[in-house]
Amino acid sequence: MSEQDHFCKDLFNRERFETREVKVGNTVIGGNNPIRVQSMTTTDTMDTEGSVEQSIRMIDAGCELVRLTAPSKKEAENLSVIKKELLRRGYDTPLVADIHFTPNAAEIAAKLIEKVRVNPGNYADKKKFEEIDYTEESYQAELLRIEEKFTPLVLLCKEQGTAMRIGTNHGSLSDRILSRFGDTPEGMVQSAMEFIHICRKNNYHELIISMKASNTLVMVQAYRLLVQRMKEQGMNYPLHLGVTEAGDGEDGRIKSAVGIGALMEDGLGDTIRVSLTEDPELEIPVARKLIQKFDKIEEYKLNYSSNIKLDYFNHNKRITKSLLNIGGSNTSIVFADLSKKNKIVSTNFFGFGYSYSEQLDKWNIFDQAADFVYLGDQTIDFEIPGTIRLVQNYQTWEKHRRSDAYPFCTLKEYRQNKPGGIVFLYVDLDTEYSASDLPTEDTVYVVETKRQQKTQVIRKFQYELAELNNTSPVILKLNYELEELENLQLYASSDAGIHFIDGFGDGLWITAPRSLVDLNSLSFGILQATRTRISKTEYISCPSCGRTLFDLQETTGKIRERTSHLKGIKIGIMGCIVNGPGEMADADYGYVGTGPGKINLYKEKTVVRKNVSEAEAVDALIELIRENGDWIEPNK
């Protein structure tokens, strides 16, 4: 297996991608340096006092690079004032200017602060959401025009010792890139590489690269493709990781950990930002906790290689046979675990998506309702909903033989008893096992590893099954002793997310010292974030910045309150035109700030109502959803 075939050095042992060092002021990124944490202010950059105070709160929380928006020359110039005030107060953390449409603002900022971020999709390229057929001649002519516009900034950064992030965003690819590559990871990489080549042509290498998207599959595939492309061309620039518009609360943490964690699991990433629709200083502890997961070095090596080649640059679900509602074309299932209960009663089911009405003698089933319940050696003496199935330890199952229950057994129990029908076979990946010895008929594998670094152990099992053409479904069982909910969300999302992104896994079973409600919500959240099972409304909400034209947190809360029952609908909530409609490329509906107190509403990428008063905009959004037939009345 050639290293060039892959985006990481070793698929079965985590090793950090060896990047070059880039100095950003007094902070060095890449190489063997720690993974750096950064965030972005939400204040108006012309508000010097507010920007300084917020920057200090971020730095005190552990932020190592502070990014501020510079949409025009005046904001770029005021970065110098902010920098001086921070230095006067004893803070020398590097500042980063966020540039989108204004090359002259970038050139001003490059002389004043330590780093500039440019987005290739709108820095010098065209983004008018027009479909244009470019000939090879016209395409190359545009490249020459871009080089002419971009080279002055490159030379200025080289002269000033200013670092640069070339930050491609999935939703803001230029019309030129879209015309040739479409809205794809390949287009994202091509967009960045064009700008990287201009930098290299001028012998400027103080670069950090990012490939952000709100869709975790697109984001992960784009970074992997970028690394492969860089390795082919002898490049090793540091990577900044982030999921754009991840949202807030549990959803934002899960989505960020799925995307960022999937890359860090394979040793990619030199600096990260967890983009939450919350105050920026609240992002820092979350990012720190995620990094801590990867700071734990486990002295354990897998001695394994394979001639099988799997595609890591496109989402391909592993082909499995269908057993019950597991595998095949079924969506991934969720397990609930009641095996630790002293006595199981009907109200226990309330914790994972069911409620019982004594008056009507009926069960109510919610969208996030677990599919299987593991009872261990327990039994139940009440009627259960017809949509859920039970799994019991082999001896208990054999004794009672319920028609809605299935045995859970070890390989030893299976060989000794040869139970008929469908079996859930426990495979401890930390023991000496042989995949070729596993039964394949009517068997669902429940796989578990207790190692800290779970990804490579589970991936090895995936390859073993592929080599044997074994199509039995697989349930990923993850056990944690983590009591703190946020840690659990970050660890489980990282450990499980990468496999669902890679198409491996037909179900998820998480155990930890947390409530059934927490574990069930986390399981469905991971499946939602990996686009494996859609069970709720998805909000693509930007984290706010100095360009934001309304209170994002308050507005997101209002929209969520009115629309959270619209399962499968994606709603983009963007503070300004920079982040919308481009960054909500995936959304069905969009709510985008277009001026003070004014909102544009979108149906997908098309603006359908302009300059709606902010006071009326949420109601107008609901009406738009109604008009398009996507509205359903919430259950009272």
Side-chain angles (χ1 to χ4, degrees):
M1 184 183 296
S2 166
E3 181 182 339
Q4 286 287 2
D5 291 339
H6 291 288
F7 52 90
C8 63
K9 195 167 185 178
D10 187 342
L11 283 168
F12 305 106
N13 293 284
R14 185 197 303 153
E15 293 186 44
R16 191 170 173 188
F17 175 45
E18 298 171 6
T19 57
R20 66 185 296 149
E21 290 188 341
V22 171
K23 191 172 183 182
V24 184
N26 56 11
T27 299
V28 183
I29 295 174
N32 292 319
N33 293 285
I35 296 171
R36 308 295 187 181
V37 174
Q38 58 182 282
S39 185
M40 186 173 183
T41 59
T42 61
T43 53
D44 184 338
T45 307
M46 294 306 295
D47 176 6
T48 300
E49 181 65 19
S51 297
V52 168
E53 291 294 341
Q54 191 175 69
S55 296
I56 288 173
R57 291 196 298 275
M58 292 160 60
I59 296 166
D60 286 346
C63 185
E64 296 170 277
L65 290 92
V66 174
R67 183 156 52 111
L68 303 96
T69 184
S72 70
K73 292 168 62 176
K74 63 178 183 176
E75 285 89 359
E77 289 164 351
N78 202 51
L79 292 172
S80 176
V81 181
I82 293 170
K83 181 72 180 175
K84 287 175 183 175
E85 180 59 19
L86 283 169
L87 288 171
R88 189 186 72 79
R89 299 198 196 184
Y91 291 87
D92 60 355
T93 300
L95 301 187
V96 184
D98 193 61
I99 308 295
H100 282 272
F101 301 103
T102 46
N104 54 2
E107 291 166 19
I108 292 169
K111 299 177 183 177
L112 302 175
I113 59 174
E114 294 86 349
K115 182 182 174 186
V116 294
R117 178 270 173 129
V118 297
N119 181 347
N122 55 33
Y123 178 81
D125 219 334
K126 295 178 180 178
K127 184 63 178 174
K128 297 181 180 178
F129 296 94
E130 296 176 349
E131 292 186 17
I132 303 171
D133 290 327
Y134 285 87
T135 64
E136 185 59 29
E137 183 179 9
S138 63
Y139 192 97
Q140 292 302 320
E142 277 296 291
L143 279 180
L144 288 173
R145 184 187 67 80
I146 289 166
E147 183 174 351
E148 185 179 324
K149 294 272 283 184
F150 184 50
T151 297
L153 176 63
V154 173
L155 296 175
L156 188 59
C157 287
K158 182 179 177 181
E159 176 190 326
Q160 297 287 326
T162 305
M164 181 188 299
R165 170 155 71 97
I166 296 176
T168 300
N169 276 10
H170 177 226
S172 55
L173 296 176
S174 68
D175 295 330
R176 178 179 57 81
I177 290 291
L178 289 172
S179 73
R180 179 165 292 189
F181 301 97
D183 200 5
T184 63
E186 173 69 29
M188 295 172 67
V189 172
Q190 180 65 24
S191 181
M193 293 300 287
E194 290 175 353
F195 275 60
I196 291 171
H197 285 306
I198 296 170
C199 294
R200 291 173 67 84
K201 183 176 180 180
N202 290 280
N203 198 28
Y204 173 69
H205 301 284
E206 301 307 302
L207 301 176
I208 296 160
I209 317 298
S210 66
M211 296 273 121
K212 292 190 175 183
S214 64
N215 182 326
T216 58
L217 278 71
V218 170
M219 174 255 194
V220 170
Q221 290 159 12
Y223 275 103
R224 288 172 172 175
L225 187 60
L226 170 72
V227 173
Q228 185 197 51
R229 197 67 51 81
M230 286 202 301
K231 286 166 70 174
E232 288 172 352
Q233 300 183 33
M235 306 178 192
N236 63 339
Y237 297 111
L239 302 175
H240 167 64
L241 308 184
V243 178
T244 59
E245 288 76 55
D248 59 358
E250 179 184 56
D251 290 344
R253 283 156 179 79
I254 291 174
K255 198 172 185 181
S256 292
V258 163
I260 296 171
L263 295 163
M264 293 174 73
E265 290 290 351
D266 281 313
L268 304 182
D270 301 282
T271 169
I272 71 171
R273 182 197 177 185
V274 175
S275 299
L276 301 175
T277 310
E278 300 174 19
D279 292 335
E281 59 266 30
L282 299 181
E283 296 179 350
I284 309 305
V286 182
R288 288 272 173 217
K289 288 178 180 179
L290 187 56
I291 289 173
Q292 285 170 8
K293 177 183 190 298
F294 297 93
D295 283 342
K296 298 175 181 177
I297 304 300
E298 190 172 25
E299 295 299 327
Y300 172 72
K301 288 286 185 181
L302 280 174
N303 184 21
Y304 182 77
S305 63
S306 175
N307 292 321
I308 295 285
K309 286 190 177 182
L310 300 181
D311 184 0
Y312 287 96
F313 309 111
N314 297 280
H315 179 69
N316 296 295
K317 181 81 167 65
R318 173 176 170 256
I319 296 173
T320 58
K321 65 184 73 172
S322 179
L323 298 175
L324 302 172
N325 58 338
I326 307 173
S329 60
N330 295 294
T331 57
S332 292
I333 59 94
V334 169
F335 256 81
D337 194 326
L338 293 177
S339 62
K340 298 293 194 299
K341 297 288 183 183
N342 292 326
K343 178 175 174 55
I344 300 173
V345 294
S346 61
T347 52
N348 294 140
F349 281 54
F350 294 10
F352 43 86
Y354 297 87
S355 68
Y356 180 69
S357 169
E358 288 189 6
Q359 184 178 4
L360 299 175
D361 189 25
K362 287 183 178 178
W363 284 95
N364 294 315
I365 305 167
F366 299 97
D367 288 330
Q368 293 191 355
D371 306 280
F372 287 81
V373 178
Y374 178 61
L375 304 180
D377 57 9
Q378 302 264 43
T379 60
I380 57 175
D381 57 6
F382 54 88
E383 291 296 320
I384 64 171
T387 56
I388 199 164
R389 295 179 172 96
L390 307 176
V391 177
Q392 297 169 302
N393 287 344
Y394 176 76
Q395 299 297 335
T396 306
W397 170 83
E398 186 179 43
K399 182 178 180 180
H400 296 277
R401 294 275 183 163
R402 289 181 58 129
S403 61
D404 54 1
Y406 299 87
F408 179 83
C409 56
T410 64
L411 184 57
K412 181 179 179 181
E413 288 173 325
Y414 183 91
R415 287 171 175 163
Q416 288 176 345
N417 301 288
K418 294 185 172 55
I422 293 172
V423 173
F424 287 81
L425 184 72
Y426 179 69
V427 183
D428 185 345
L429 299 180
D430 299 332
T431 62
E432 292 292 331
Y433 69 90
S434 173
S436 60
D437 289 341
L438 299 177
T440 59
E441 187 176 352
D442 291 337
T443 307
V444 178
Y445 302 139
V446 178
V447 302
E448 181 177 25
T449 173
K450 293 183 172 63
R451 297 195 178 278
Q452 290 178 6
Q453 296 179 15
K454 303 181 189 302
T455 290
Q456 286 73 22
V457 177
I458 296 172
R459 181 181 282 159
K460 173 176 173 282
F461 185 69
Q462 177 185 6
Y463 273 79
E464 289 171 337
L465 295 184
E467 288 172 346
L468 295 165
N469 292 316
N470 184 330
T471 59
S472 294
V474 173
I475 308 298
L476 302 182
K477 186 176 187 296
L478 305 177
N479 177 63
Y480 300 95
E481 298 303 322
L482 299 166
E483 295 184 5
E484 206 268 323
L485 180 57
E486 189 171 72
N487 275 335
L488 177 61
Q489 291 167 343
L490 299 176
Y491 280 53
S493 299
S494 174
D495 287 331
I498 184 171
H499 300 294
F500 288 110
I501 285 173
D502 291 339
F504 185 67
D506 301 283
L508 184 57
W509 178 353
I510 299 175
T511 59
R514 296 293 310 185
S515 71
L516 291 168
V517 172
D518 288 340
L519 297 175
N520 192 67
S521 181
L522 173 57
S523 298
F524 278 98
I526 292 170
L527 297 181
Q528 176 103 6
T530 55
R531 306 295 175 96
T532 307
R533 180 173 179 171
I534 305 302
S535 59
K536 55 186 174 181
T537 316
E538 182 171 348
Y539 301 94
I540 303 170
S541 176
C542 72
S544 188
C545 70
R547 298 184 299 268
T548 302
L549 296 165
F550 56 85
D551 188 324
L552 260 169
Q553 294 182 45
E554 180 183 347
T555 301
T556 300
K558 288 179 180 177
I559 294 174
R560 185 187 290 272
E561 184 180 358
R562 300 278 299 276
T563 63
S564 61
H565 64 291
L566 299 176
K567 174 183 173 182
I569 298 295
K570 297 189 287 292
I571 300 176
I573 308 165
M574 300 292 144
C576 71
I577 196 64
V578 168
N579 282 329
E583 293 310 319
M584 56 177 198
D586 242 7
D588 300 299
Y589 297 93
Y591 181 108
V592 179
T594 189
K598 297 295 181 182
I599 306 297
N600 281 0
L601 297 179
Y602 287 77
K603 177 70 175 79
E604 297 172 343
K605 294 181 181 180
T606 303
V607 61
V608 291
R609 296 188 188 176
K610 293 184 177 181
N611 298 318
V612 180
S613 164
E614 185 180 347
E616 302 170 356
V618 174
D619 286 336
L621 173 65
I622 303 304
E623 186 57 34
L624 177 62
I625 296 172
R626 287 183 189 275
E627 289 172 2
N628 284 274
D630 290 327
W631 180 262
I632 57 174
E633 292 300 328
N635 292 324
K636 300 298 183 182

